Amino acid sequence: MRKKITLITGANGEIGQGLIKLLYKKGINNIVAFDLLPSNNEMQNMITDQIIGDILDSNLLESINEKYEITELYHLAALLSTKSELYPEKAHEVNVTGTINLLTLALKQGKLNNCPVKFFFPSSIAVYSIDKNNLNKITEEENNNPKTMYGCNKLYCENIGSYYSKKYSPYLIDFRCIRFPGIISPYTIPTGGTSDYLPEMLHSVIKNKPYKCFVKKNTRMPFMIMPDAVSAIYLLMNAQKNKLCYDIYNITSFNPSPEEFLNLLKEYVHDVNVSYQINDERQKMVDSWPSDINDSKAFEDWGWKPKYNLKDSFEIYLIPALEKFYNIKVN
Ligand code: AKB
């Protein structure tokens, strides 16, 4: 008998750790974490098993197919935008070939289980490219012409996921996708992303460390905090299929500039040491992304609504969580 599981690739990543905590809290007790390295001790207590390996290892994926009955698959493993621009071939291998490998595994599982695998794919606002002066809230079907390797990877995988989910009847994959904005967590700092500047600034300032912001102080793009990001995944994955008019949805919460974010931070931490050292390549990437996005389809189809606006994110969540995490008291 193959054990029924919820498989999470990229389990050690920021979204992976946040999602495992939420699913565990919701009573999901069959989580299998799949990543290149072992899960940390906190995660170990919330998972039933772990797979240490590479999503590019076809033998490993075949052994997973033989051992488990996958009911839900959250494919979070990816190289983010800055790292993908530095290592484009590696990015294509991980972000595209890796995703195709997991979709192929899901197809095999759908046939084996005679039941579609619910497949979550995290896409990104990087699939858009737009003139930064255009302050319109971009909808899902607009400006799908990415100017980064990461954005190209994500857009292609969205299309392949939709294609695989409609190729067979009855369908073998129930593909569901969210285009995430930048995400801010009090427990982890992103690596290799281009939206990293706000989480990096937050963690540096709260620890009274200097921070050099790599984009201009008036740069604007959509963000949200991790609790809203993982709650959105849970909400979408548990929505009735017949309520979903689309495979792919935008979500967002707020879109502060670094200057606005820092001014809010200063309400909690008085002596800050933040300067600007612009990285032209990263600035160009963020400048190609929309300043704001329209997430009304997610609201209409599956009731998405951020719990935290910018002010509440600080007041109710980030500052208390950071104080506890770093065992400090902001002045
Ligand atoms: C990145 O910066 O690469 C990601 C994203 C915006 O998708 N955080």
Side-chain angles (χ1 to χ4, degrees):
M1 278 291 281
R2 292 176 297 128
K3 185 180 173 188
K4 284 193 177 189
I5 67 162
T6 297
L7 181 65
I8 301 179
T9 74
N12 295 343
E14 283 206 283
I15 299 178
Q17 292 186 57
L19 182 64
I20 288 172
K21 286 178 191 171
L22 177 67
L23 294 181
Y24 182 76
K25 205 165 79 174
K26 296 282 189 182
I28 308 297
N29 58 11
N30 66 349
I31 300 170
V32 174
F34 183 177
D35 211 315
L36 293 166
L37 296 171
S39 300
N40 64 35
N41 292 336
E42 184 188 13
M43 293 298 117
Q44 293 278 2
N45 295 327
M46 301 178 200
I47 61 179
T48 186
D49 197 355
Q50 68 176 342
I51 298 163
I52 301 167
D54 194 325
I55 58 174
L56 299 172
D57 180 344
S58 48
N59 293 330
L60 176 58
L61 294 177
E62 189 46 40
S63 67
I64 293 168
N65 186 47
E66 289 164 6
K67 181 176 180 182
Y68 296 114
E69 181 179 338
I70 303 169
T71 54
E72 293 193 352
L73 203 165
Y74 298 82
H75 173 46
L76 309 178
L79 245 56
L80 294 181
S81 55
T82 292
K83 212 171 265 185
S84 294
E85 217 57 29
L86 288 171
Y87 309 104
E89 292 79 12
K90 184 66 182 167
H92 187 277
E93 205 182 7
V94 172
N95 294 343
V96 176
T97 307
T99 300
I100 299 257
N101 288 355
L102 271 300
L103 285 167
T104 303
L105 172 61
L107 284 176
K108 289 179 180 176
Q109 284 280 310
K111 286 179 190 136
L112 264 178
N113 310 340
N114 199 25
C115 177
V117 173
K118 265 190 190 177
F119 192 108
F120 178 75
F121 180 72
S123 186
S124 161
I125 57 163
V127 304
Y128 300 112
S129 90
I130 181 166
D131 180 326
K132 208 62 175 177
N133 299 317
N134 177 344
L135 301 178
N136 294 335
K137 289 176 179 258
I138 300 300
T139 58
E140 286 83 352
E141 57 279 351
E142 293 177 295
N143 297 81
N144 289 192
N145 49 354
K147 294 288 182 287
T148 62
M149 172 53 88
Y150 175 72
C152 292
N153 297 161
K154 287 295 185 182
L155 185 61
Y156 177 72
C157 289
E158 287 180 6
N159 288 320
I160 288 292
S162 289
Y163 164 73
Y164 272 18
S165 68
K166 296 173 178 62
K167 183 173 171 62
Y168 302 94
S169 177
Y171 57 86
L172 302 173
I173 294 180
D174 176 358
F175 182 77
R176 304 186 186 198
C177 172
I178 289 175
R179 287 178 179 164
F180 283 109
I183 301 175
I184 302 168
S185 167
Y187 305 115
T188 53
I189 303 176
T191 52
T194 316
S195 63
D196 296 0
Y197 57 92
L198 288 192
E200 287 176 352
M201 185 192 291
L202 176 69
H203 283 262
S204 299
V205 167
I206 208 83
K207 291 185 291 184
N208 283 321
K209 295 211 182 306
Y211 180 64
K212 288 188 169 53
C213 183
F214 55 79
V215 294
K216 294 171 187 165
K217 62 183 175 183
N218 62 346
T219 302
R220 198 174 293 279
M221 63 166 279
F223 278 89
M224 67 194 329
I225 60 174
M226 188 60 77
D228 271 335
V230 293
S231 297
I233 295 173
Y234 185 81
L235 201 56
L236 175 58
M237 288 292 270
N238 289 279
Q240 285 178 17
K241 185 69 179 175
N242 61 6
K243 302 279 190 204
L244 304 180
C245 303
Y246 308 92
D247 295 337
I248 296 137
Y249 291 91
N250 283 342
I251 64 170
T252 188
S253 176
F254 45 77
N255 63 339
S257 66
E259 189 174 41
E260 290 162 354
F261 191 82
L262 181 57
N263 287 338
L264 194 49
L265 246 177
K266 285 176 179 174
E267 290 179 21
Y268 301 90
V269 184
H270 301 310
D271 52 334
V272 299
N273 179 356
V274 174
S275 56
Y276 291 86
Q277 187 172 323
I278 310 310
N279 178 306
D280 292 339
E281 277 308 301
R282 300 178 95 177
Q283 182 71 52
K284 195 170 139 198
M285 288 163 68
V286 177
D287 284 348
S288 75
W289 296 347
S291 299
D292 204 352
I293 51 176
N294 180 321
D295 57 1
S296 57
K297 289 187 176 74
F299 173 72
E300 286 150 17
D301 286 9
W302 43 279
W304 154 251
K305 190 174 180 319
K307 181 178 174 185
Y308 299 95
N309 60 28
L310 181 59
K311 181 80 180 148
D312 288 349
S313 293
F314 274 82
E315 189 70 26
I316 299 173
Y317 185 76
L318 290 172
I319 297 301
L322 284 159
E323 286 183 315
K324 194 171 170 200
F325 185 65
Y326 287 119
N327 192 23
I328 52 171
K329 194 81 188 113
V330 296
N331 43 342

